Amino acid sequence: SLATVRASNASFSPTYTPVAIFVGGTAGIGQGMAQAFARYTKGNAHIVLVGRNRTAADSIIKTFPEPTTPGITHEFVECDVTSMKHVHRVAETLRTRFPRVNFLVLTTGVATLDGRTETEEGIDRKLALHYYGRWRFIRDLVPALEEAHKAGENAKVLSVLAAGRGGEIDLKDLGLKKHYSVANAHTSGTTYNDLMVKDFAARHPGLTFIHSYPSIVTTDVLKKSPNRSLRIANTFLVPLLRPFTYNAETCGEHQLYALLQAGPGAVRTKDNGDDMGWGSNYFGSEEAMRKLWEHTEEVTSPRV
């Protein structure tokens, strides 16, 4: 229940000053999580909102409690997560500034009916937001997470997408250059996230890597869609669905609960924050992990 989740979140009382990075934290679920985290830490945490909207970030940061610990920073860092070059540059800067990172939360996304839309790096924009940019952030910041773990602190990553809603993927068409569709991009991106947390957990024992399912959440994702039809649908659908959905604040509470409660290893969580396990609706394999890792490393590697 929400009451149980809030009580559990309120019990979070670290003996160190945590560093939490929210990629996609300027709106929606990421915003809900960042505000909840700031509230439960009473502002005494280094909180970084990564995104494109400085105005939104500044407004969100104003809602955070004033820290009582000297030297605490609440800040915005601009990043276009569809650009792997930009992601790498921002992640490297963050790692230099924060040698230890405790929580990395990834919630970037887009609602679109467009076909494959490539970035200048040849990556589909939807997959860049839902998978490739997230993978690159983790890859570049995992040394800082390792340092936190060595210090006996929390070292956790949460990728919010659609855990348990994936499907079979084509290992001969990773990135969907041959057989792209909106449905295929959703299914593949979801399974890629499953494989991502599994592989990172295998490579970094002791750290926590979570792929979560947030359920249907009323955010501005349809309102901000590049498709006019989805923006129009937002006007009619949101009021009708509201009784059956979470708002961003409630979802943020449940997702923060998932982040704080998950133990080491690869974890998939439900919309209420509980562990859903790997016994069903998992479409991965050792071969798939290996091939996806090699493909992603090549596609997202920094280029001058």
Side-chain angles (χ1 to χ4, degrees):
S1 70
L2 182 58
T4 300
V5 163
R6 283 176 170 158
S8 178
N9 290 344
S11 70
F12 177 60
S13 183
T15 57
Y16 58 91
T17 300
V19 175
I21 299 172
F22 295 87
V23 181
T26 59
I29 297 170
Q31 174 183 345
M33 288 190 70
Q35 289 177 313
F37 187 80
R39 186 167 62 253
Y40 291 121
T41 58
K42 298 178 174 58
N44 292 308
H46 297 290
I47 301 175
V48 182
L49 305 183
V50 179
R52 295 181 300 169
N53 192 332
R54 179 175 293 278
T55 301
D58 289 344
S59 296
I60 293 165
I61 290 171
K62 286 179 181 178
T63 70
F64 294 173
E66 285 292 327
T68 56
T69 303
I72 294 293
T73 60
H74 301 153
E75 61 190 279
F76 169 71
V77 174
E78 185 175 359
C79 182
D80 177 3
V81 181
T82 66
S83 168
M84 300 305 109
K85 181 166 58 178
H86 202 190
V87 168
H88 177 69
R89 185 164 62 246
V90 168
E92 288 293 290
T93 299
L94 288 171
R95 195 173 81 184
T96 299
R97 293 189 52 221
F98 300 104
R100 294 203 299 266
V101 171
N102 302 106
F103 302 103
L104 174 60
V105 176
L106 307 137
T107 62
T108 50
V110 63
T112 177
L113 298 177
D114 292 342
R116 183 179 176 85
T117 306
E118 289 196 352
T119 67
E120 63 179 15
E121 294 164 320
I123 300 172
D124 172 64
R125 184 170 180 269
K126 184 181 180 75
L127 288 174
L129 289 169
H130 290 177
Y131 170 67
Y132 290 102
R134 300 180 185 207
W135 188 96
R136 191 71 247 175
F137 259 114
I138 300 172
R139 183 78 166 88
D140 290 340
L141 287 174
V142 79
L145 289 155
E146 286 280 14
E147 288 301 313
H149 176 60
K150 290 176 186 176
E153 302 173 358
N154 280 295
K156 299 184 176 185
V157 176
L158 172 69
S159 181
V160 180
L161 190 61
R165 269 68 179 172
E168 297 288 348
I169 58 173
D170 185 351
L171 297 182
K172 295 181 179 179
D173 187 26
L174 296 172
L176 304 180
K177 285 184 176 287
K178 299 175 184 176
H179 303 106
Y180 186 93
S181 70
V182 172
N184 201 11
H186 170 75
T187 299
S188 296
T190 298
T191 299
Y192 291 175
N193 270 257
D194 276 353
L195 293 167
M196 175 178 75
V197 299
K198 275 270 195 179
D199 207 343
F200 273 110
R203 292 168 186 265
H204 300 278
L207 274 61
T208 302
F209 297 90
I210 310 158
H211 178 200
S212 73
Y213 170 65
S215 189
I216 303 173
V217 183
T218 51
T219 68
D220 286 340
V221 68
L222 289 178
K223 186 177 180 180
K224 296 177 180 178
S225 171
N227 301 120
R228 184 171 179 269
S229 57
L230 290 181
R231 294 196 300 272
I232 293 173
N234 175 74
T235 305
F236 303 100
L237 284 176
V238 169
L240 291 174
L241 292 174
R242 187 166 283 117
F244 312 101
T245 63
Y246 291 116
N247 60 34
E249 180 182 356
T250 299
C251 182
E253 291 277 2
H254 282 96
Q255 294 303 306
L256 181 61
Y257 173 79
L259 178 68
L260 296 178
Q261 292 301 308
V267 182
R268 294 193 305 177
T269 55
K270 305 174 187 178
D271 57 339
N272 65 0
D274 286 342
D275 191 333
M276 73 168 63
W278 295 89
S280 62
N281 295 320
Y282 173 60
F283 300 89
S285 65
E286 291 296 324
E287 179 190 21
M289 280 199 297
R290 177 177 57 80
K291 289 188 174 180
L292 183 64
W293 182 279
E294 292 171 352
H295 159 78
T296 310
E297 185 76 86
E298 178 183 357
V299 169
T300 67
S301 289
R303 294 175 175 83
V304 178

